[in-house]
Amino acid sequence: MKRIAVIGSTGSVGRQTLDVVRRNRELFDVVLLSANSNKELLDSQCAEFGAKKSCLTQGNSEGLVALLNETEADLVLIAAVGAAGILPAYETVKKGTDIALANKESIVAAGRLILNAAKKSGARVIPVDSEHSAIYQCLMGQKKEHVAKIILTASGGAFRKTPNDALEFMGVEEALRHPNWSMGSKITVDSATMMNKGLELIEARYLFDIEPDRLDVVIHPQSIVHSAVSYTDGSMLAQMGYPDMRTPISFALGLPERIESGVRQLDLCEISRLDFFKPDPDKYGCLRIAFQVLKKDMNGPMIVMNAANEIAVEHFLRKSISFIDIAPVIENVLDSFGECTAEGMDEILDLDGAARRRCSDLITARR
């Protein structure tokens, strides 16, 4: 049996992970579960899956890291939201344990550090985001020098059909109505701004060691093609499936085998058509900012952008700023830090914290 730990087990991805485990009980031994604050659900999950170790982080991952270091696991699935996943991801790969990563912020903020540690220890970093799982699968058995372009697909989020001049009237309830996916609040807002795709571009740059000019994004409203890789011979490989996170979760958990996910088989006749088009930079200011940061290819602006986005989205969800304030706030925070860099984990976390404080101060000053 594969011994697994699930970090962020009470969130959307964590719950879907345990649903996959439930369907494949004979394959997995759940050794550790952790959550931020939902003790009732965490206790229930531990009872159901027999996890002997559990942890409530409540915004502090140091206790979790200590618990991970004393736990023998074959795979740690990291589904914690935001910067909370950085230290657990780094410490896990440093000790040589494979991670299944659903936390894109870890790679955005500390990609080189985490991946270098994984390379040194021999640990695998298996992406769980549907887009990066798709790319991972399309690259299997291929040579990087044959890759012409990696194309990430995006749904366009809740406001894909909303006129640009109506965005200022869109509130939290509207932003959380994703047309295709069932996800947590933060990532659903990121989908509406398309910052999620900006973060995924940076994640792809690190995960697949691919130059920024070989990365692109297209809007694909049906969310059936989860990403594609174009090769130098003119061919393109794409991974397809219904929009359900249990597909990439089951791939990561079962690798190298394919296991039961609970997702139905794709019916091409039922789908009947697939549409693709370029995102509007005026509507998706966050994606435009992310492309600018990606082209700089410096980790400092990536850390700052990610941190500022987390704080801006938190304030939007609390209704203390409007939807159209999110991108300008992030841009202002980036301008205040310039082209900075952060080398070690302490510097990365310090810069992350400074960017968060700066963003909070800017939002307070706007009121």
Side-chain angles (χ1 to χ4, degrees), residues 97-312:
T97 303
D98 294 345
I99 59 173
L101 195 60
N103 175 280
K104 61 176 62 67
E105 291 86 356
S106 298
I107 297 298
V108 171
R112 286 195 178 97
L113 203 62
I114 290 171
L115 293 166
N116 285 341
K119 186 176 181 180
K120 185 176 180 180
S121 71
R124 292 183 301 174
V125 178
I126 307 163
V128 173
D129 272 351
S130 62
E131 296 81 2
H132 299 98
S133 176
I135 295 163
Y136 189 98
Q137 294 177 64
C138 292
L139 289 172
M140 289 174 76
Q142 306 294 329
K143 293 182 178 178
K144 193 179 77 169
E145 59 265 32
H146 295 162
V147 174
K149 194 162 284 263
I150 289 177
I151 301 135
L152 289 91
T153 56
S155 67
F159 302 140
R160 179 175 58 82
K161 295 182 179 179
T162 304
N164 290 12
D165 57 6
L167 290 175
E168 63 180 304
F169 305 109
M170 297 296 105
V172 174
E173 293 77 11
E174 291 83 7
L176 293 179
R177 291 183 193 138
H178 196 285
N180 300 336
W181 293 90
S182 175
M183 305 179 292
S185 297
K186 194 265 182 184
I187 193 170
T188 306
V189 174
D190 281 350
S191 179
T193 64
M194 279 190 70
M195 178 57 89
N196 70 323
K197 217 50 53 178
L199 296 173
E200 287 167 13
L201 282 167
I202 294 167
E203 189 179 6
R205 190 263 176 276
Y206 285 130
L207 282 174
F208 308 114
D209 191 23
I210 200 82
E211 297 84 356
D213 61 1
R214 286 200 279 172
L215 291 165
D216 205 0
V217 171
V218 298
I219 290 180
H220 168 48
Q222 293 90 352
S223 296
I224 296 297
V225 174
H226 297 300
S227 277
V229 178
S230 177
Y231 288 94
T232 51
D233 63 356
S235 63
M236 180 180 285
L237 299 183
Q239 187 265 333
M240 302 168 65
Y242 289 113
D244 191 314
M245 280 300 297
R246 291 176 299 173
T247 298
I249 288 168
S250 68
F251 176 80
L253 291 182
L255 195 69
E257 306 296 331
R258 299 268 179 178
I259 63 174
E260 172 62 33
S261 69
V263 181
R264 65 192 176 106
Q265 296 297 310
L266 185 65
D267 185 334
L268 292 176
C269 294
E270 178 186 275
I271 300 302
S272 76
R273 62 177 288 173
L274 300 172
D275 299 305
F276 304 91
F277 53 90
K278 285 286 186 184
D280 176 359
D282 294 326
K283 172 175 283 189
Y284 299 112
C286 284
L287 180 61
R288 173 182 50 78
I289 293 167
F291 264 114
Q292 292 169 355
V293 168
L294 177 69
K295 286 176 182 176
K296 290 181 181 178
D297 206 22
M298 299 173 64
N299 77 329
M302 294 173 182
I303 295 164
V304 171
M305 182 188 75
N306 176 67
N309 179 65
E310 280 196 42
I311 297 301

Side-chain angles (χ1 to χ4, degrees), residues 61-98:
S61 60
E62 289 182 7
L64 172 60
V65 167
L67 196 59
L68 279 168
N69 282 332
E70 66 182 44
T71 301
E72 291 298 322
D74 301 304
L75 179 72
V76 177
L77 189 139
I78 299 178
V81 176
I86 297 174
L87 269 177
Y90 176 63
E91 293 294 336
T92 300
V93 298
K94 198 166 71 168
K95 66 181 279 193
T97 303
D98 294 345

